[in-house]
Amino acid sequence: MEGESSMAAAQSLQVMNQTFNRLERFEGEGFTRWKETLKFNLLFLKLWYILEYGLEAIPAATDNDDEELKKRRKKREEDDFMCRGHILNALGLNVYNAHRTYGAAKELWTALKNKYKISEASNKKFLIYNFMDWKMVDSKSIIAQVSDLLLIVNHLKDAGIDLVSSFIVVGIISRLPPSWNSYKKKLKHAETDYDLEGLQRYLHIEEDVCKREIKDSQQTENHSKINNVQESKTSNSLKV
């Protein structure tokens, strides 16, 4: 039995090295995503049950315990120790130092959830407000502003809020700045259902066209000014 137990422990450590080393250590942000990845690994190791609600408690040791109860208690203690170790191993240094004193896996897990779920909920509200308040202006590149919005969208996804592409597309079109009103109407009434990548491509093309038109207009205006100056000089020389 001891040989089997040692083999199981060795296999568990090997799996930990293979899977948990690929798990990005939790530094205090993105708790939901980190938690789901950690849960998958603990399920694979058959240790997640330690953290589940309703887990039957094993009575404290007495002189009357039979061998079956002793084995159950020993396994529970070993699993709790391994589960706690895996969780601590998946924490960044600052989070680890703040939580390493929790003796049982369930206590450690509850402390992490209570602290970072509240923090994440507050962060979600902040990100949602950022998304709702986001506006475009004429003084900045449209593509650059779309990139800013997509950064907010990615932060929302990390926080567990995954917006569908069509919703993001409508949000971008509806918030195009005043100088883009005619193009905005064109996009709204188009029969084509734009995906996010396609919309960015069309906006990029339109922005390049607008830049060229402005440049051509400025060149025409400069030429006109030069011609006017030359005509004025010619007219003055004739009078003399």
Side-chain angles (χ1 to χ4, degrees):
M1 291 294 291
E2 289 185 6
E4 292 179 3
S5 178
S6 298
M7 186 180 296
Q11 289 174 343
S12 180
L13 287 172
Q14 184 179 6
V15 170
M16 180 182 72
N17 289 332
Q18 292 174 346
T19 61
F20 277 76
N21 284 343
R22 292 196 297 267
L23 173 63
E24 185 177 345
R25 282 180 166 77
F26 180 60
E27 302 289 351
E29 294 183 0
F31 178 75
T32 297
R33 183 180 62 174
W34 173 83
K35 179 192 72 173
E36 292 303 318
T37 307
L38 180 67
K39 180 179 179 180
F40 173 81
N41 290 332
L42 291 175
L43 283 169
F44 181 79
L45 294 171
K46 295 181 171 56
L47 294 173
W48 178 254
Y49 81 95
I50 292 291
L51 305 178
E52 291 181 326
Y53 288 105
L55 178 65
E56 181 185 358
I58 295 180
T62 67
D63 295 336
N64 299 323
D65 292 345
D66 57 25
E67 289 302 315
E68 181 64 27
L69 182 57
K70 289 178 181 179
K71 288 179 183 178
R72 285 177 55 209
R73 184 181 297 111
K74 186 173 185 296
K75 183 178 186 307
R76 178 71 62 82
E77 289 172 352
E78 289 175 349
D79 285 353
D80 190 274
F81 176 80
M82 291 298 294
C83 184
R84 176 180 177 275
H86 285 312
I87 296 172
L88 288 173
N89 187 60
L91 300 177
L93 183 60
N94 290 335
V95 182
Y96 170 87
N97 287 336
H99 294 83
R100 62 186 177 82
T101 56
Y102 289 94
K106 187 65 176 291
E107 292 176 11
L108 170 61
W109 188 245
T110 301
L112 287 167
K113 284 201 305 180
N114 288 344
K115 180 175 182 178
Y116 292 105
K117 270 202 159 186
I118 292 172
S119 175
E120 189 171 77
S122 176
N123 187 47
K124 282 181 181 179
K125 288 181 181 178
F126 174 75
L127 291 171
I128 290 170
Y129 284 132
N130 272 356
F131 180 84
M132 299 302 292
D133 289 342
W134 178 79
K135 294 179 178 65
M136 283 191 180
V137 294
D138 284 318
S139 58
K140 187 177 178 182
S141 163
I142 294 298
I143 298 303
Q145 293 180 85
V146 170
S147 296
D148 291 341
L149 177 67
L150 294 182
L151 186 61
I152 298 174
V153 170
N154 285 335
H155 287 325
L156 283 168
K157 187 174 182 180
D158 289 342
I161 303 174
D162 199 356
L163 302 177
V164 296
S165 177
S166 57
F167 181 80
I168 301 169
V169 165
V170 171
I172 293 172
I173 293 174
S174 65
R175 296 173 193 182
L176 288 169
S179 65
W180 284 64
N181 281 343
S182 60
Y183 193 72
K184 183 194 299 188
K185 290 178 182 177
K186 178 182 175 182
L187 291 174
K188 283 183 176 181
H189 298 294
E191 295 182 1
T192 305
D193 290 329
Y194 298 101
D195 59 17
L196 188 53
E197 185 178 343
L199 177 64
Q200 290 182 86
R201 185 167 59 251
Y202 281 112
L203 290 176
H204 200 296
I205 293 171
E206 182 65 16
E207 187 165 51
D208 285 343
V209 169
C210 290
K211 286 178 180 178
R212 284 198 300 270
E213 288 178 349
I214 292 171
K215 185 177 180 180
D216 291 343
S217 176
Q218 288 174 342
Q219 288 177 344
T220 301
E221 186 178 345
N222 289 337
H223 285 311
S224 178
K225 286 180 180 179
I226 291 171
N227 290 335
N228 287 337
V229 169
Q230 289 176 341
E231 288 176 3
S232 177
K233 285 182 178 179
T234 302
S235 175
N236 289 334
S237 65
L238 290 174
K239 287 180 181 179
V240 173

